Amino acid sequence: MSDSDRTQRVDALLNRLPEVLPPPHVRAKLRLAAGLTQQDIADAVGVKRVAVTRWELGQTSPRRPHRENYLRLLKGLAERFPEAAKADEGMPTPASEGGSG
């Protein structure tokens, strides 16, 4: 098997994996860096403000189709505000991305 074939197989595996959301506290930092409110995020993603609050607290995680939209928004904010996208050293991260919302 050639290196090119192996690279394609690795890429195929990576494409099957779900994209991971940043830790909850980073989600909030990104929103604040952009000067957005939780209501702004909720309106854009199509959920109630309380859902965004729960996502930022790590109580729940977004589900489809909101997850894809929220992830897209967070990626865009991370590109514009790279300092806010960095996870703080020593901060806990969720063990699971499960939940509702």
Side-chain angles (χ1 to χ4, degrees):
M1 178 180 302
S2 73
D3 285 343
S4 176
D5 290 339
R6 285 189 178 90
T7 300
Q8 288 177 349
R9 284 185 173 199
V10 167
D11 288 345
L13 287 175
L14 289 173
N15 289 333
R16 288 191 344 213
L17 297 174
E19 294 194 57
V20 177
L21 291 166
H25 70 280
V26 173
R27 300 170 199 174
K29 282 176 50 178
L30 287 168
R31 175 181 58 77
L32 293 170
L36 299 172
T37 66
Q38 289 179 334
Q39 190 62 55
D40 293 331
I41 302 295
D43 291 343
V45 175
V47 296
K48 294 182 179 180
R49 186 199 54 79
V50 69
V52 176
T53 300
R54 290 178 180 150
W55 298 343
E56 289 183 359
L57 292 173
Q59 294 174 344
T60 62
S61 291
R63 292 183 288 180
R64 289 184 189 169
H66 306 117
R67 181 183 176 87
E68 288 84 4
N69 291 327
Y70 188 48
L71 182 58
R72 184 169 185 243
L73 175 64
L74 292 174
K75 282 182 169 183
L77 293 177
E79 289 175 9
R80 292 184 184 185
F81 305 98
E83 287 301 313
K86 293 180 182 176
D88 296 331
E89 293 297 321
M91 289 294 292
T93 57
S96 158
E97 285 294 323
S100 61

